């Protein structure tokens, strides 16, 4: 016998930057995994497969051995208080969990950086340098008549991007979809999108992606370019003629200097907005990364890759990257948070380690000097809120299979209370 979620039709998927809210979850019996219903999404289905319909008991571990929650909290607090420079990384949590992590980071002088921070910072640096004009999923779905994907289709990151952007819907009578720099699979996918009210086009890069977008930006700005490719000239004309053009990109798919590509897109949008309407939409920040950035920014005034240190609040978008800090030996302890993704294991390190994560991560944290505390997943075992990829929309998460695991917020608050007075001062 199976049942759907307690509030059918109101489940929000927490496993993707799109935070889709039009699907539901089927809860079975015993060890049967949760299953998606009401539609198909490979990413959501894979993630749900890590959750049994009847949750198994999960206990904390200290040095690879089972422990009580109180003992694990005491060990984790001692580890963090002994650190001269801790790193809070991963940051896979909801709004409440992230809000509770912030005072803990301040009390320990921690640097904070989310999983996938390299991709997230590409957009942040472009925003900091020149500003941006972005849009929402709903606005694209209801208004955009020209959608340009930059650097290919983000299907692996956001499988239902077509549906969420309304490609094929009747809300906009005629749309033209362009992919700059498509893969072979992108070309096949794009061909399948063509139909009533939708025309499609793919454009191979002229040089690398940055070169291509720089030429497009110059053409949109109506600068004289003698040898510009015909396809890019035609696209520039389409962008000027569109009622509402949207350039869509996925920072995790961009090369190492992706901030330059993001900035080129923003410049193109800026030129267009002088006479028509255009915007950018960046797809990323799944598994709580976008939420971490938003919450830390509104609490501290600074985004990820910042620190509450002896000199006050500091932001270093390059120097405070988690991978760089670990490689350089610049931190001496790490707190890793991964409440959504059962496969988001902490980076390999011999440093003292505290992990607040999905119970499946316990096996990868069994070693001396490590504390593992299993936490609930918002949107599965508990309610919560996450920010969607478009940054301005806060999505509610509803529990489909309540469990007894503590949330990140509860654990972080108790860790703060357990810190010695000299560290919390």
């Amino acid at each position: 016998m199976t049942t759907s979620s307690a509030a059918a039709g109101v489940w929000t998927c927490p496993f993707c930057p799109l935070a889709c809210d039009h699907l539901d979850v089927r809860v079975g019996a015993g060890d049967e995994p949760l299953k998606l219903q009401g539609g198909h999404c490979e990413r959501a289905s894979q993630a749900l497969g890590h959750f049994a319909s009847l949750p198994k008991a999960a206990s904390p571990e200290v040095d690879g051995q089972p422990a009580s929650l109180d003992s694990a909290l005491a060990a984790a607090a001692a580890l963090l208080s002994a650190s001269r420079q801790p790193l809070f990384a991963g940051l896979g949590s909801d709004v409440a969990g992230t809000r509770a992590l912030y005072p803990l980071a301040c009390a320990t002088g921690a640097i904070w950086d989310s999983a996938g921070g390299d991709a997230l910072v590409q957009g942040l640096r472009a925003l900091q340098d020149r500003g941006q004009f972005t849009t929402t999923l709903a606005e694209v779905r209801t208004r955009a008549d020209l959608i340009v994907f930059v650097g290919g289709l983000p299907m692996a990151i956001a499988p239902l991007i077509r549906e969420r952007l309304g490609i094929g819907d009747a809300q906009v009578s005629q749309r033209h979809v362009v992919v700059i720099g498509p893969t072979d699979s992108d070309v096949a996918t794009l061909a399948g999108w063509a139909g009533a009210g939708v025309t499609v086009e793919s454009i191979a890069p002229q040089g690398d992606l940055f070169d291509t977008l720089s030429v497009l930006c110059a053409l949109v700005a109506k600068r004289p370019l003698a040898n510009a490719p015909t396809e890019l000239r035609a696209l520039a004309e389409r962008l000027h003629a569109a009622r509402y053009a949207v350039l869509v990109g996925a920072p995790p798919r961009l090369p190492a200097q992706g901030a330059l590509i993001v900035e080129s897109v923003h410049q193109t949008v800026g030129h267009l907005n002088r006479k028509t309407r255009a915007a950018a939409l960046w797809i990323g920040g799944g598994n709580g990364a976008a939420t971490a950035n938003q919450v830390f920014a509104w609490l501290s005034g600074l985004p990820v890759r910042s620190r509450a240190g002896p000199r006050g609040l500091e932001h270093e978008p390059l120097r405070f990257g988690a991978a760089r800090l670990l490689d350089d030996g610049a931190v001496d302890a790490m707190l890793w948070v991964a409440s959504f993704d059962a496969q988001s294991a902490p980076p390999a390190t011999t440093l003292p380690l505290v992990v607040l994560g999905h119970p499946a991560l316990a096996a990868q944290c069994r070693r001396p000097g490590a504390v593992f505390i299993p936490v609930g997943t918002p949107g599965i075992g508990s309610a919560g809120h996450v920010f969607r990829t478009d940054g301005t929309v806060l999505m509610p998460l509803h529990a489909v299979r309540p469990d007894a695991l503590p949330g990140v917020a509860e654990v972080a608050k108790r860790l703060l209370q357990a810190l010695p007075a000299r560290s919390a001062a």
Side-chain angles (χ1 to χ4, degrees), residues 302-379:
L302 296 175
V304 296
R305 298 196 170 178
S306 299
R307 170 175 67 175
R311 293 184 294 181
L313 291 167
E314 305 170 81
H315 175 57
E316 293 285 351
L318 298 179
R319 189 160 63 93
F320 285 171
R324 173 175 292 195
L325 292 168
L326 292 170
D327 290 343
D328 292 347
V331 293
D332 58 2
M334 180 169 65
L335 183 144
W336 179 262
V337 183
S339 65
F340 294 111
D341 189 353
Q343 297 179 312
S344 183
T349 179
T350 59
L351 294 176
L353 175 68
V354 177
V355 175
L356 314 182
H358 187 288
L361 296 176
Q364 300 177 65
C365 306
R366 290 188 180 121
R367 64 166 177 83
V371 178
F372 175 75
I373 300 177
V375 294
T377 298

Side-chain angles (χ1 to χ4, degrees), residues 102-392:
Y102 176 69
L104 182 63
C106 291
T108 57
I111 296 170
W112 55 83
D113 186 24
S114 64
D118 288 342
L120 187 63
V121 166
Q122 289 177 345
L124 284 174
R125 293 189 67 196
L127 169 62
Q128 291 165 341
D129 289 345
R130 292 184 180 270
Q132 65 181 9
F133 191 109
T134 57
T135 186
T136 65
L137 297 176
E139 197 165 37
V140 178
R141 187 168 61 249
T142 58
R143 299 185 181 184
D145 57 333
L146 175 57
I147 301 174
V148 180
F149 287 94
V150 173
L153 297 173
M155 306 304 291
I157 301 168
L160 299 186
I161 188 68
R162 176 191 180 185
E163 292 81 354
R164 299 296 278 166
L165 297 186
I167 298 173
D169 291 355
Q171 290 176 304
V172 176
S173 60
Q174 184 65 47
R175 295 185 202 267
H176 188 65
V177 181
V178 182
V179 179
I180 300 176
T183 64
D184 291 341
S185 62
D186 288 342
V187 173
T189 300
L190 188 64
W193 290 4
V198 179
T199 54
V200 300
E201 176 186 2
S202 59
I203 298 177
Q206 309 296 318
D208 62 20
L209 184 59
F210 175 70
D211 289 340
T212 303
L213 292 173
S214 296
V215 171
L216 178 63
C217 183
L219 291 170
V220 168
K222 299 188 180 299
R223 296 173 188 152
L225 292 179
N227 299 315
T230 303
E231 296 91 340
L232 293 181
R233 287 188 182 277
L235 178 55
E237 293 175 1
R238 274 190 177 274
L239 287 165
H240 275 292
R243 295 188 306 275
Y244 189 13
V246 177
L247 280 70
V248 182
R253 291 176 54 102
L254 298 181
Q257 299 301 322
L260 297 175
I261 293 173
V262 175
E263 187 173 299
S264 183
V265 168
H266 291 169
Q267 288 180 325
T268 301
V269 169
H271 290 309
L272 291 170
N273 274 318
R274 293 174 182 173
K275 292 186 177 180
T276 181
R277 187 169 186 185
L281 177 65
W282 300 105
I283 307 300
N287 286 318
T291 299
N293 189 59
Q294 291 279 1
V295 173
F296 275 104
W298 93 51
L299 290 175
S300 71
L302 296 175
V304 296
R305 298 196 170 178
S306 299
R307 170 175 67 175
R311 293 184 294 181
L313 291 167
E314 305 170 81
H315 175 57
E316 293 285 351
L318 298 179
R319 189 160 63 93
F320 285 171
R324 173 175 292 195
L325 292 168
L326 292 170
D327 290 343
D328 292 347
V331 293
D332 58 2
M334 180 169 65
L335 183 144
W336 179 262
V337 183
S339 65
F340 294 111
D341 189 353
Q343 297 179 312
S344 183
T349 179
T350 59
L351 294 176
L353 175 68
V354 177
V355 175
L356 314 182
H358 187 288
L361 296 176
Q364 300 177 65
C365 306
R366 290 188 180 121
R367 64 166 177 83
V371 178
F372 175 75
I373 300 177
V375 294
T377 298
I380 299 295
S382 61
H385 297 83
V386 291
F387 277 93
R388 209 168 60 183
T389 188
D390 39 14
T392 60

